[in-house]
Amino acid sequence: MTHSEPVPGEHTLRRPELRPLWHTVHSRLSSGRPVTRVRLGPLDDAQRESLADLLGLDRLPDPRPSVSLARLEEAVTELSGRTVREIVTELVGPLDDRAGERRRKEDERAELWAWLDGHATVRAQPVLAGWTASCRATGLIGGSPELTRTLLADALTVLAELPAQAEPLPVFAARVLGGDSHALDDGTRLSTLVLRALAALHDTAAPESAADRRALWTRAGVADDDLSATVLVGGLRPAGEGPLARVARVCAEAGQAASPTLAQLRAPGEFTLASDPAPVVHAVENPSILALAIRRFGSDCPPLVCTSGWPNSAAIHLLRLLADQGAVLRYHGDFDGEGIRIAAYLLDKTPARPWRMTAADYRAAAARTPHGPEPGRLTEAPWDPELTRAMTEHGTAVVEELVADVLLADLAEAIRCESRSGRS
């Protein structure tokens, strides 16, 4: 409420000596908390006299008096017919609600961190929980949840697009981030954030040197050479006369593994898979499993892809290509901390599903090799939360080679099923 001319009695309220009172009351009322008394001071003699006149005191108050808001309200209403809030709003300015503003900001922060923790990329790769915790500990960018969310959303967009397609970093950034080729330049806030996530993903220390940063980008398929990025595959017999199909068939018929490059996978030419029934392609983490399968089955080896540890851009590209052709993908890896993280990564980046990677499979394998090495740092397995608990209880890693007989038996059954279906 605003008055152009003070009403009778307000001249008293506007005395300069009362300014400390109104400013203090304004500050306390702006806190957003209940106020019953305000403490003033130190007041000089003139200010004490004005306060005594306002409140109708029979003696001067202390230099640091505590004033009852109820008594002040009575005096102000008697003089002006208005409330204390109206007077301080007119004399000092609009009241704030600092407590409400704090609650609003706390709610915005809580909403931001809940959004980050619940993001599909974070849920699919639980190892990123450490990264999200570090983001929370770092705090808001410029105190702004909106700016922070924008940056985090860009980082998650980048992570979802990795591994990249053997692109230079500026090309990758421009493709993924709306044409901004410099968004991931060394030293930018976004680049630092993504590299911290990659370090968490690969369980390495945060990069400190330019060489460390380049190594992490390379592992993520950025600036990969599309000739040096390769993937091992056996038993793959696609139809078509494209170079990839012909190389894969020749090697499969000879009972040998093929090692197509990312360049071949990106330009496969004519390449199709049988669609009735949908072909099943198994994938493993370790080359030794592929070698054992080819040695045992020779030219009858069923389709088998090997990621050779962390899947590079070629491995991911091949698995996606096979899925696009209708293949059903099944993946198995080591039962250790790194193996669980690799599996979570691959299952997030491709349509593959776990192959003998449940808690029951682990317990059966651990019972056969109860004295193996420790599993290392464990993170949640999104496809089976019980798996990590079982590994923690047993405290034993089971590498793929120790369950090779089980995996080979599954592949043998796949050959029998294929034979029964009449496929060659």
Side-chain angles (χ1 to χ4, degrees):
M1 180 176 181
T2 302
H3 293 259
S4 58
E5 293 293 335
V7 300
E10 284 194 14
H11 291 289
T12 300
L13 303 179
R14 293 173 182 271
R15 294 171 63 178
E17 293 82 5
L18 291 178
R19 285 174 186 164
L21 169 67
W22 304 130
H23 280 277
T24 302
V25 171
H26 184 279
S27 177
R28 289 295 309 280
L29 292 178
S30 292
S31 70
R33 296 190 176 97
V35 179
T36 57
R37 306 188 72 84
V38 293
R39 183 168 292 280
L40 308 175
L43 302 180
D44 60 28
D45 288 345
Q47 292 167 339
R48 294 165 66 195
E49 288 176 5
S50 294
L51 181 61
D53 290 343
L54 174 63
L55 298 179
L57 304 178
D58 57 5
R59 59 184 176 184
L60 293 182
D62 293 336
R64 296 180 180 274
S66 174
V67 177
S68 163
L69 194 64
R71 178 69 190 91
L72 182 62
E73 195 76 61
E74 291 175 3
V76 168
T77 302
E78 183 178 342
L79 281 169
S80 65
R82 300 165 66 191
T83 66
V84 168
R85 284 180 176 270
E86 290 171 338
I87 290 298
V88 297
T89 297
E90 181 172 326
L91 297 181
V92 181
L95 291 169
D96 298 323
D97 182 2
R98 293 194 296 272
E101 183 66 13
R102 282 194 296 272
R103 288 192 296 271
R104 183 184 66 79
K105 290 182 177 179
E106 288 169 0
D107 290 344
E108 287 181 348
R109 287 195 293 269
E111 181 183 354
L112 169 67
W113 302 130
W115 165 80
L116 179 60
D117 290 337
H119 194 278
T121 296
V122 175
R123 291 201 313 271
Q125 300 178 59
V127 68
L128 291 176
W131 173 70
T132 64
S134 72
C135 293
R136 188 180 296 106
T138 301
L140 302 179
I141 298 167
S144 169
E146 183 178 355
L147 289 176
T148 306
R149 183 166 181 150
T150 297
L151 181 70
L152 289 169
D154 284 346
L156 291 164
T157 296
V158 171
L159 293 172
E161 289 292 322
L162 296 175
Q165 301 172 20
E167 301 156 292
L169 188 58
V171 175
F172 172 75
R175 177 173 66 83
V176 172
L177 297 168
D180 187 354
S181 61
H182 297 289
L184 293 171
D185 283 358
D186 207 15
T188 63
R189 185 174 274 151
L190 179 58
S191 175
T192 300
L193 192 60
V194 172
L195 287 169
R196 278 170 41 203
L198 291 176
L201 188 64
H202 294 287
D203 200 22
T204 64
E208 296 182 355
S209 66
D212 292 340
R213 292 188 286 274
R214 283 194 301 272
L216 269 179
W217 283 124
T218 299
R219 292 189 75 171
V222 177
D224 256 353
D225 185 307
D226 61 1
L227 295 180
S228 62
T230 63
V231 58
L232 289 172
V233 59
L236 187 62
R237 300 171 182 80
E241 292 305 312
L244 180 61
R246 284 187 289 166
V247 169
R249 280 201 311 273
V250 167
C251 290
E253 290 164 2
Q256 296 183 6
S259 184
T261 67
L262 180 58
Q264 292 169 334
L265 293 166
R266 293 173 69 179
E270 187 183 359
F271 181 98
T272 58
L273 299 178
S275 59
D276 188 21
V280 177
V281 176
H282 292 83
V284 293
E285 179 183 341
N286 296 283
S288 55
I289 303 300
L290 178 60
L292 288 171
I294 289 177
R295 184 183 307 165
R296 174 169 173 179
F297 303 118
S299 60
D300 292 326
C301 185
L304 186 63
V305 175
C306 177
T307 67
S308 300
W310 277 94
N312 62 13
S313 49
I316 296 297
H317 201 101
L318 174 59
L319 291 171
R320 288 173 174 170
L321 175 64
L322 295 172
D324 289 343
Q325 289 291 324
V328 176
L329 305 180
R330 297 285 182 261
Y331 175 77
H332 186 278
D334 291 334
F335 282 118
D336 60 11
E338 185 82 343
I340 297 304
R341 287 186 285 277
I342 291 173
Y345 181 82
L346 186 137
L347 299 183
D348 180 43
K349 300 299 181 179
T350 75
R353 304 317 319 146
W355 169 31
R356 292 198 178 273
M357 289 287 286
T358 67
D361 295 317
Y362 167 76
R363 289 191 176 99
R368 298 167 57 188
T369 55
H371 303 297
E374 295 183 358
R377 186 170 71 92
L378 293 172
T379 49
E380 183 184 347
W383 63 93
D384 185 0
E386 179 63 25
L387 174 56
T388 301
R389 289 193 287 270
M391 294 175 68
T392 301
E393 291 170 5
H394 283 269
T396 301
V398 179
V399 295
E400 254 185 333
E401 289 80 357
L402 294 177
V403 294
D405 57 333
V406 177
L407 303 180
L408 293 177
D410 284 351
L411 296 177
E413 178 60 27
I415 294 172
R416 286 191 289 272
C417 290
E418 183 179 2
S419 178
R420 287 194 295 268
S421 70
R423 291 169 51 197
S424 59

